[in-house]
Amino acid sequence: RGLGDVYKRQMKYYVNENIKNTVRVFPRQKRYNCLRYDMNENPEGLPKDFVDSVLKEITPEFLAIYPEPDKFLNKYANFIGAQYENVVATNGSDMAIRYILETFGEAGKSVVTVSPSFEMYWVNCNILGLKHKPVAYNDDLTINIENIINAIDLDTRIVVLLNPNNPVGNVYTEEEFRLVLKRTQEVGAILVVDEAYHYFYKNTFIDYALKEPNVIVLRTFSKMFSIAACRLGAAISNPQIIDYIKRGKLTFDVNSIALLFGERLLDHPEVYKELIQIQDEGKAYILANLKENGYECRDCRGNFIFIKPKHDALMVVKQLEEQYNVLAHGYSNALLKNYIRVSTGSIKSMEKFLKYFYLVDNK
């Protein structure tokens, strides 16, 4: 009997109901030969000479040794103005999200986020049996801070502010942040500030993470640092919070190649400073060009923008892919259905996108 026959046999075994009932939509595959503007990556990546120089350090001995994160962590702590005890490296910031929800969430109790937002918050809530409590945006894509505060109650265990938020791109003032912080401390909840798009939007609440008892800031090397393939993120907080996260994390969470690239990026500030400059120039270029051509567009503060096409947004996204192998991100929900999200990069990469976008949308 073949494997197919085995799989067809009925068998009773336990499946975690939370996982069984979680619906997942995984990213599109076969993206390597496409023009990629759909997942907020750097469309062009790091300079090749920098990548080549790091790859020379990956020897057979290097690959044979289990990862040792402390060297990276000490450099990273110094880079952000903190101490070793304030940071933990994770397999992308999405793994930090899982650890935080596992450590500080409680089954049946709530996690407050805005909606729409990064999907891994509600996905992990479903998997872990936590109650996701979304706070909706207004029709004009603004969010009322009072609605977030009112959603926080004695059953709230974690509150998440994404600053800026993906996909909408809103940010929070210090006054708004302090109001949410005050409320989380009144009810005994953890306050997570997801700063995945820091360096594109430089305002930060990291000082609160280092000083307050319940604040965690998340950062990633996938966006500005342009190594999404390596999966490197960090959680930043006070030593007690970090100790709790470390107790629950996998021993060898982050691989050695990711840690090495992270170290070398920190060693070469000229590389990431140039990346920021290139990104800023490219975003300014595409926003100006779109406005000159009569398009409604929105600077989402991170390395992405919203564009309102003249034609159906999902149709434009589909035709870009089918006709020109250009990937952008469309939405089916009512709030965002008229927009496409486009990752930004160099002027050259923005010129390529606009060439094909105008061909599709001006037919």
Side-chain angles (χ1 to χ4, degrees), residues 20 26 32 54 69 71 102 146 159 168 188-189 198 208 212 309 319 338 350 359:
K20 187 177 180 180
F26 291 97
Y32 281 96
V54 180
K71 190 176 179 184
E102 285 178 335
E146 296 83 5
V159 178
V168 178
H198 186 62
Y208 291 92
E212 296 292 336
Q319 291 186 356
N338 295 323
M350 296 297 91
L359 283 173

Side-chain angles (χ1 to χ4, degrees), residues 295-296 305-321 326-342 353 357 360-361:
Y295 280 92
E296 178 185 327
I305 63 172
F306 273 179
I307 305 171
K308 189 174 185 180
K310 297 174 183 176
H311 297 90
D312 178 80
L314 288 176
M315 181 195 72
V316 170
V317 168
K318 183 179 179 182
Q319 291 186 356
L320 280 169
E321 179 178 350
V326 173
L327 306 181
H329 193 86
Y331 298 91
S332 56
N333 70 68
L335 184 68
L336 302 178
K337 67 178 183 179
N338 295 323
Y339 298 92
I340 64 172
R341 191 190 69 198
V342 178
F353 173 79
F357 173 71
V360 167
D361 200 42

Side-chain angles (χ1 to χ4, degrees), residues 56-106:
K56 289 178 181 177
E57 299 185 55
I58 302 174
T59 64
E61 181 185 24
F62 179 92
L63 293 173
I65 300 171
Y66 281 106
E68 297 182 354
D70 282 9
K71 190 176 179 184
F72 164 77
L73 287 170
N74 278 291
K75 284 187 179 182
Y76 186 67
N78 183 64
F79 176 71
I80 62 172
Q83 302 297 317
Y84 168 83
E85 293 77 15
N86 294 118
V87 293
V88 59
T90 58
N91 186 15
S93 59
D94 51 353
M95 198 67 210
I97 293 167
R98 170 68 72 90
Y99 290 150
I100 289 166
L101 295 182
E102 285 178 335
T103 304
F104 304 105
E106 183 180 352

